[in-house]
Amino acid sequence: MSSPKGSQAQKTRLPSFTRKVPLEVPSPTEKDWSKDDEEDYVFKDPDEELDSLPQPYRMINKLVNLLFDRSWEVIEERDALRKSELSRIRPTVYPPVVESKLNKMPNCMAISQDYVFIGGARGFSIHSLFNAKQIYVWEKLKVDVTSICATDLGSEILIAPVDEIGIVRLFYLYKDGLCLIKAINEVEDTSKQSTCLKMEISQGGDFAAFFLQGAGDIWLDVYKLPKESWLKEVEHPQLSINPKKKVRQLQLNTLDAMTSDNLEMDISFRGDVKLSLPVHIMKIKPPKPVTGTTFKSPLEVFAKIEDCYGLGSGQNHFIRESQWEQQAAVFNASYKKYLDGEWEEEPLSMATFHFLPPGCITATPVDVKSPSGVAYVLGVHWTGSHNFFLYLLNRTLKDKVDPEGVWPCAAPIAVSQLSCSSSYLVLACEDGVLTLWDLAEGFPLGVVALPEGCICQSIHFLKYFLVHEGRNVFPEGPVKSQMKCVVLCTDASLHLVAAQGSEAPTISVLIERPVNHLDEAVCAVAPVPALPGMVLIFSRDGHVHLMDVAKPHIICAFAPPRPYHLAVPWKPMFVVSFHHPCFLLRGDHPDEIKSTDDAKNIQNSLFYFNFEAYPLLENISRNCSIPQSALTANMGFPHELPLEKRCESFLQNR
């Protein structure tokens, strides 16, 4: 027996069609029907009618449909990406010229003169830059070397490796001899051991600064390096040890040479040579937080800042403690809803420092004699600080450490960078504003702001170049008050900043922020000093491209031979030579990585890329300079000429 509901449902399924307009008696023949009326009839199949689903099946149905819709969107996006990849003009990919097999995993690299210094397990090794052959190995540590620095001193090289414990050592390489100068922060009591977090050596090797941490404190130690004494002591060694210890030391050195993988040993360790120790001249601590004053009168404030020492640092003021408390109370009351909640622990305050040469901004006093080209001032800024402090290097440890100058900025300084020639300085603040300083001439080249939302991550100076007849060239004559640099932002966008003389600086976008293809985001940038206007770009997907920033466009790409790849693409290990047209790149074999659990025993390779060995770059590297006479004849570059030449050309044209 059917229920009333069932009979009612059957009644609703009986009509085969319904009409949207009032019913009328149709014509007996179909030919007389109006074609316009066909849209008024909605035909329905009673067997295909769908009943509404009850919960929770209705929600499940929506989720399944949403899943299918999103999957289809992903399929369409991948299909469009595949089509764009096929239609994209791919750059020429060049393989390495030389491959050097390494028995141990390299952690860091540095280039100086014709040598490559590779830090790894228990020490570091020295390789030839041209054939990648191993020359010498120094492995006398119990831990790995995590970073290494090599500074050219002329005919000598100063090497500074830092191990996992944070101990930094200074080595002196002269001709075929390697000497250990000193372990800067090594102590016998491990409880008092300090860790080196960062270091910087001045151009020419006259000074060195080490940022240390230990016993809950941080500070900056500055040393003067007696490089003239080192040269005399190496050329005329004075053996101050007894003959027994001398023979034993020589036997150890011979053993090191015999166990080395390379029998053609050109460098030997000279443990019999004792070199003069670096002289500690200054210890700089982070600036104290600004608090209430203890001065009773304004005269005491002016007496404290005699000779403008510390002017602008905010330490010497006449604000009472009660005024600070009132201001803090007003601030907390105004922004209480934003201040409530858990506070994250403040990060460790880090110091960024640069050795600045004497110039118009940092002029040398009359009574101080400083050799030409020798660093004279140490510039320091701390994390979260608005101020850039300047400290004179012509002092002793007994002298009171006060900054001789302070450059206040409108926002906290995030990144700073000094050019290779030490002539230009860029200060990038957290608000995206860049201040460009010409240290040699003594005036700012300008202030430029990054696009909204861009925060500076790193700054890379380019050797100044010109575009002459469609080619990038280096001017042979001296260039003053003109600089170009590449700025990498935290959103992976890349910008070119240029400034010259009194003209306003310009900024242009080289690579925009990736939106859809995040694997193509730029993670590292390196200028190529041998090629005008060229930079190496490392992306997160492991690709290495060479870009011409003047166009801008990609010239070519570099890649290790298959199946080698970059083990950590977002932090590639590479080094670019400043004096030679080449760069080195570390590559890893995937099969060897899977076959062993010990990463230190992985067979790694070091790949050598020579720009002059590739057809597209051969002419660029060899014909990359333009003489001063060509600039004089071509008035397209009037700003490149000296002032006298510009005045002469102007008068001749008049």
Side-chain angles (χ1 to χ4, degrees):
M1 183 175 177
S2 61
S3 62
K5 281 188 177 181
S7 60
Q8 185 68 23
Q10 290 179 357
K11 290 180 181 179
T12 58
R13 295 194 184 103
L14 287 179
S16 59
F17 63 89
T18 59
R19 193 175 183 183
K20 299 179 182 178
V21 296
L23 295 177
E24 295 180 358
V25 179
S27 175
T29 60
E30 189 175 345
K31 295 180 181 180
D32 298 334
W33 291 358
S34 175
K35 295 182 179 180
D36 298 335
D37 296 340
E38 292 181 0
E39 298 179 358
D40 297 335
Y41 293 91
V42 180
F43 294 92
K44 297 181 180 180
D45 188 350
D47 296 331
E48 292 183 359
E49 287 188 354
L50 299 177
D51 296 331
S52 60
L53 295 174
Q55 292 288 7
Y57 303 105
R58 194 187 311 156
M59 181 189 67
I60 296 174
N61 181 57
K62 290 183 178 180
L63 292 177
V64 172
N65 291 334
L66 180 62
L67 178 62
F68 276 108
D69 293 339
R70 291 185 177 179
S71 301
W72 186 251
E73 291 177 359
V74 172
I75 293 173
E76 290 181 341
E77 181 181 354
R78 291 185 177 180
D79 185 61
L81 178 61
R82 182 180 59 84
K83 292 180 179 179
S84 63
E85 287 289 336
L86 293 176
S87 61
R88 180 186 300 181
I89 300 176
R90 297 178 177 273
T92 305
V93 181
Y94 289 121
V97 177
V98 179
E99 177 183 356
S100 176
K101 294 283 187 179
L102 303 177
N103 295 329
K104 296 183 179 180
M105 175 181 289
N107 298 326
C108 50
M109 290 190 299
I111 289 181
S112 182
Q113 297 184 11
D114 300 335
Y115 299 101
V116 180
F117 303 91
I118 302 176
R122 301 182 57 195
F124 65 92
S125 58
I126 305 176
H127 296 248
S128 173
L129 177 61
F130 303 105
N131 53 20
K133 288 185 178 180
Q134 182 175 287
I135 301 176
Y136 182 72
V137 177
W138 188 87
E139 294 181 349
K140 297 183 180 180
L141 302 178
K142 296 181 180 180
V143 293
D144 295 355
V145 171
T146 56
S147 65
I148 190 169
C149 175
T151 304
D152 188 2
L153 305 182
S155 58
E156 317 87 49
I157 300 176
L158 182 64
I159 311 165
V162 182
D163 60 23
E164 287 181 332
I165 304 177
I167 298 177
V168 55
R169 296 172 173 84
L170 295 181
F171 290 85
Y172 188 77
L173 178 62
Y174 177 71
K175 293 183 179 179
D176 57 350
L178 180 67
C179 306
L180 174 61
I181 301 174
K182 182 187 178 183
I184 296 296
N185 57 330
E186 187 178 20
V187 294
E188 295 181 357
D189 189 359
T190 56
S191 62
K192 299 180 180 180
Q193 179 65 55
S194 60
T195 303
C196 180
L197 303 178
K198 191 184 298 185
M199 66 177 174
E200 187 77 23
I201 300 176
S202 66
Q203 187 177 4
D206 296 282
F207 296 92
F210 306 94
F211 182 59
L212 305 177
Q213 176 189 11
D217 194 9
I218 55 175
W219 67 94
L220 188 64
D221 276 342
V222 185
Y223 290 84
K224 185 177 182 180
L225 306 179
K227 63 176 187 177
E228 291 81 6
S229 301
W230 292 342
L231 184 58
K232 296 178 182 179
E233 292 166 355
V234 170
E235 292 179 346
H236 307 285
Q238 298 177 358
L239 304 181
S240 59
I241 55 179
N242 57 56
K244 293 183 179 181
K245 291 185 178 181
K246 175 183 176 182
V247 173
R248 184 180 179 184
Q249 184 67 39
L250 292 176
Q251 289 177 352
L252 289 174
N253 296 338
T254 306
L255 181 62
D256 292 341
M258 293 297 293
T259 56
S260 177
D261 297 333
N262 188 0
L263 298 178
E264 298 179 0
M265 184 65 67
D266 296 330
I267 298 176
S268 60
F269 184 77
R270 301 181 62 180
D272 56 333
V273 179
K274 300 299 180 182
L275 300 180
S276 301
L277 300 180
V279 181
H280 188 202
I281 60 174
M282 190 169 22
K283 183 177 182 179
I284 303 174
K285 291 188 176 182
K288 298 178 181 179
V290 180
T291 57
T293 183
T294 58
F295 299 127
K296 297 180 180 179
S297 66
L299 296 178
E300 296 183 9
V301 179
F302 288 109
K304 185 68 176 178
I305 57 175
E306 186 180 358
D307 297 331
C308 297
Y309 287 168
L311 183 62
S313 62
Q315 296 292 336
N316 304 319
H317 56 84
F318 200 58
I319 303 176
R320 297 292 182 181
E321 186 71 27
S322 58
Q323 293 175 300
W324 286 109
E325 295 176 355
Q326 294 174 1
Q327 188 68 25
V330 172
F331 179 83
N332 294 332
S334 302
Y335 300 96
K336 182 179 180 180
K337 61 179 181 179
Y338 301 104
L339 298 175
D340 292 340
E342 298 182 359
W343 286 85
E344 297 182 359
E345 185 178 355
E346 294 185 1
L348 177 66
S349 180
M350 296 290 292
T352 304
F353 39 95
H354 309 282
F355 288 98
L356 309 180
C360 296
I361 295 180
T362 58
T364 307
V366 180
D367 56 342
V368 177
K369 295 182 180 180
S370 179
S372 177
V374 177
Y376 178 70
V377 173
L378 179 68
V380 185
H381 69 86
W382 300 84
T383 303
S385 174
H386 294 244
N387 299 325
F388 187 75
F389 298 95
L390 302 175
Y391 296 87
L392 285 179
L393 295 173
N394 185 29
R395 66 172 75 237
T396 62
L397 188 59
K398 296 181 180 179
D399 297 336
K400 188 177 181 181
V401 180
D402 285 328
E404 276 68 30
V406 182
W407 293 355
C409 296
I413 303 174
V415 182
S416 63
Q417 187 62 43
L418 184 69
S419 64
C420 297
S421 61
S422 301
S423 300
Y424 306 100
L425 176 70
V426 176
L427 300 179
C429 297
E430 294 181 358
D431 57 357
V433 176
L434 307 178
T435 305
L436 318 176
W437 285 93
D438 185 348
L439 301 179
E441 299 298 327
F443 66 90
L445 288 175
V447 178
V448 64
L450 295 171
E452 186 178 358
C454 295
I455 301 176
C456 178
Q457 178 180 344
S458 60
I459 303 171
H460 310 271
F461 277 93
L462 301 175
K463 187 177 179 181
Y464 191 77
F465 69 96
L466 303 170
V467 181
H468 178 64
E469 297 180 354
R471 295 189 308 112
N472 298 345
V473 292
F474 293 129
E476 291 183 353
V479 177
K480 294 184 179 181
S481 302
Q482 300 174 50
M483 54 83 66
K484 292 183 181 182
C485 64
V486 174
V487 179
L488 177 62
C489 298
T490 54
D491 61 353
S493 61
L494 195 64
H495 306 265
L496 175 65
V497 178
Q500 56 182 15
S502 59
E503 298 182 9
T506 60
I507 183 170
S508 57
V509 180
L510 300 177
I511 299 178
E512 295 183 351
R513 174 182 178 271
V515 179
N516 297 325
H517 312 299
L518 299 180
D519 291 339
E520 298 180 357
V522 179
C523 58
V525 177
V528 181
L531 302 177
M534 305 291 177
V535 294
L536 288 173
I537 297 175
F538 298 82
S539 56
R540 295 183 65 90
D541 55 4
H543 290 89
V544 183
H545 295 96
L546 181 68
M547 169 179 274
D548 181 0
V549 299
K551 304 293 186 209
H553 71 96
I554 301 298
I555 301 294
C556 62
F558 305 97
R562 293 181 178 273
Y564 285 91
H565 69 285
L566 303 184
V568 188
W570 56 91
K571 193 177 181 181
M573 179 179 167
F574 66 95
V575 61
V576 182
S577 176
F578 187 80
H579 300 287
H580 302 285
C582 65
F583 78 98
L584 284 79
L585 180 66
R586 168 192 157 188
D588 300 291
H589 199 288
D591 297 337
E592 295 174 352
I593 294 178
K594 297 178 182 179
S595 62
T596 178
D597 296 333
D598 190 2
K600 296 182 180 180
N601 296 326
I602 297 175
Q603 183 73 23
N604 298 271
S605 293
L606 196 63
F607 298 102
Y608 174 86
F609 296 87
N610 188 356
F611 299 118
E612 293 182 347
Y614 308 120
L616 285 177
L617 307 177
E618 184 178 2
N619 294 331
I620 298 177
S621 61
R622 294 182 179 179
N623 303 317
C624 60
S625 61
I626 182 171
Q628 193 74 22
S629 58
L631 293 178
T632 306
N634 188 353
M635 293 306 297
F637 308 106
H639 55 274
E640 301 297 331
L641 304 178
L643 180 60
E644 295 80 4
K645 294 290 184 180
R646 277 185 279 174
C647 294
E648 182 180 352
S649 300
F650 176 76
L651 294 175
Q652 289 177 356
N653 294 334
R654 295 288 292 181

